[in-house]
Amino acid sequence: MINRILDFIRPNKFSDTGQEVQELMKTIDKQRLPRHIAIIMDGNGRWAQKQGLPRAFGHRAGVESLRDIIKLCCELKIQILTVYAFSTENWKRPREEINVLMDLLVEYLKKEIQELCKNGVRINPIGRLGELPRPALDALSAAVKLSSDNNGLILNLALNYGGRTEIIDAIRAIATDVETGRLKAGQINNDTVAAHLYTAGQPDPDLLIRPSGDFRISNFLLWQLAYTEFWLTSTLWPDFRRIHLLRAMVDFQRRERRFGGLKDE
Ligand code: IPE
Ligand code: IPE
Ligand code: MG
């Protein structure tokens, strides 16, 4: 609370932030941007609870963060953004919270689809979508249809998504190919598995961001994150804005990715 009050009375807070954003924009090497960014949008509940508000307020506030991040990704011409919105384990939460999340998804898609299309965003939901409630499925199908011809940012919306479930689904499909004689077991390699994941045809994430101070994957993109660079922050998702993503990108560009090999001389 005290931080929030300070934020309001600090006279040049917004220009400071604006200046840092501008500086970071200049610092970033536009030729070496991550092609694929993945984000675990976590910390909504804690954000609300910190202010004595019900968790639902945190989920609603988190939508603002997503909006800002998508906009920046479009401005920088990032190819793919994958956001973790609802996991296969999130069904363990109270029914009311699940309803809030599903309602918010429908509201978001209906309200934002025009703006998303204007920015060239293509909506690509990933997960066991058939298990989502009917209204969510309908809103998703409509958004996918409306945005299918766009050729800007691909927005992978991970919904009822689990990394293990994704791998199980891939194994089942591959096993069927083997059973029906289309494939020999000995031919299965990295490419075979990747081609049967929900992200088939997409490059693996270069950068994974997890806000809110937890240091775990929580069943996200287990296969795809093999050589992804992680960027963790204690900032809660509803407070996460483009400035944080820019900081993450600058940090990403300073890293040396070796993929198990040796440093380039
Ligand atoms: C992320 O925020 C949103 C979803 C998991 C759907 P949380 O609801 O997990 O917020 P915290 O982690 O409890 O703060
Ligand atoms: C991961 O966050 C899932 C989403 C952000 C959608 P969780 O809050 O569900 O993960 P845990 O329970 O802290 O590991
Ligand atoms: Mg959480």
Side-chain angles (χ1 to χ4, degrees):
M1 196 63 188
I2 190 74
N3 278 341
R4 306 208 133 242
I5 294 168
L6 281 175
D7 277 351
F8 276 104
I9 55 174
R10 209 178 283 146
N12 53 1
K13 182 218 166 192
F14 291 110
S15 66
D16 275 348
T17 308
Q19 264 167 18
E20 191 185 337
V21 167
Q22 278 180 18
E23 284 303 313
L24 289 167
M25 280 293 228
K26 275 189 256 162
T27 310
I28 281 177
D29 179 351
K30 306 287 186 312
Q31 309 307 315
R32 290 175 46 245
L33 289 168
R35 280 198 296 175
H36 182 171
I37 299 171
I39 305 182
I40 301 176
M41 302 190 291
D42 195 25
N44 297 351
R46 275 164 283 179
W47 183 89
Q49 276 162 349
K50 250 176 50 184
Q51 300 168 76
L53 296 168
R55 295 174 58 86
F57 282 75
H59 296 312
R60 190 164 278 281
V63 176
E64 284 306 316
S65 308
L66 180 61
R67 201 173 276 140
D68 194 40
I69 294 315
I70 291 175
K71 249 183 111 207
L72 178 64
C73 287
C74 291
E75 285 164 31
L76 291 174
K77 301 200 167 31
I78 301 294
Q79 257 180 50
I80 306 164
L81 174 67
T82 301
V83 290
Y84 205 3
F86 194 89
S87 76
T88 44
E89 286 72 40
N90 287 147
W91 298 107
K92 292 178 191 162
R93 298 193 179 196
R95 192 72 236 173
E96 310 85 78
E97 181 164 346
I98 295 173
N99 290 345
V100 163
L101 288 163
M102 295 299 155
D103 290 350
L104 209 53
L105 170 69
V106 173
E107 184 187 319
Y108 169 76
L109 290 169
K110 289 193 174 148
K111 254 182 32 202
E112 297 293 319
I113 191 64
Q114 275 193 322
E115 180 72 12
L116 289 167
C117 283
K118 214 170 80 192
N119 289 316
V121 178
R122 179 142 59 90
I123 310 279
N124 183 45
I126 58 170
R128 286 242 179 116
L129 305 175
E131 294 165 10
L132 291 171
R134 191 78 244 171
L137 259 181
D138 290 346
L140 280 167
S141 318
V144 167
K145 214 167 148 200
L146 283 167
S147 67
S148 63
D149 289 335
N150 297 342
N151 41 30
L153 177 76
I154 296 174
L155 178 63
N156 290 333
L157 279 179
L159 290 159
N160 192 24
Y161 173 90
R164 288 185 171 177
T165 308
E166 181 180 35
I167 292 170
I168 290 168
D169 286 348
I171 293 172
R172 285 181 183 169
I174 294 168
T176 305
D177 284 350
V178 173
E179 262 173 12
T180 53
R182 268 179 297 206
L183 189 71
K184 288 197 166 65
Q187 291 173 324
I188 300 168
N189 58 23
N190 277 340
D191 293 341
T192 323
V193 177
H196 286 85
L197 298 174
Y198 307 144
T199 53
Q202 300 181 352
D204 289 339
D206 301 296
L207 177 61
L208 170 81
I209 294 174
R210 181 161 193 158
S212 88
D214 283 323
F215 301 96
R216 53 177 173 263
I217 296 187
S218 301
N219 203 11
F220 193 38
L221 303 174
L222 296 181
W223 174 277
Q224 297 89 332
L225 296 178
Y227 274 102
T228 301
E229 295 294 327
F230 285 27
W231 195 81
L232 305 162
T233 173
S234 58
T235 301
L236 303 169
W237 176 247
D239 289 327
F240 195 98
R241 287 292 181 275
R242 60 177 56 211
I243 194 165
H244 303 99
L245 180 54
L246 288 165
R247 285 178 191 155
M249 287 198 221
V250 168
D251 194 24
F252 166 81
Q253 293 189 333
R254 289 198 191 111
R255 303 209 190 156
E256 182 187 273
R257 301 183 77 187
R258 291 186 295 275
F259 299 95
L262 297 178
K263 185 174 184 289
D264 281 344
E265 288 305 336

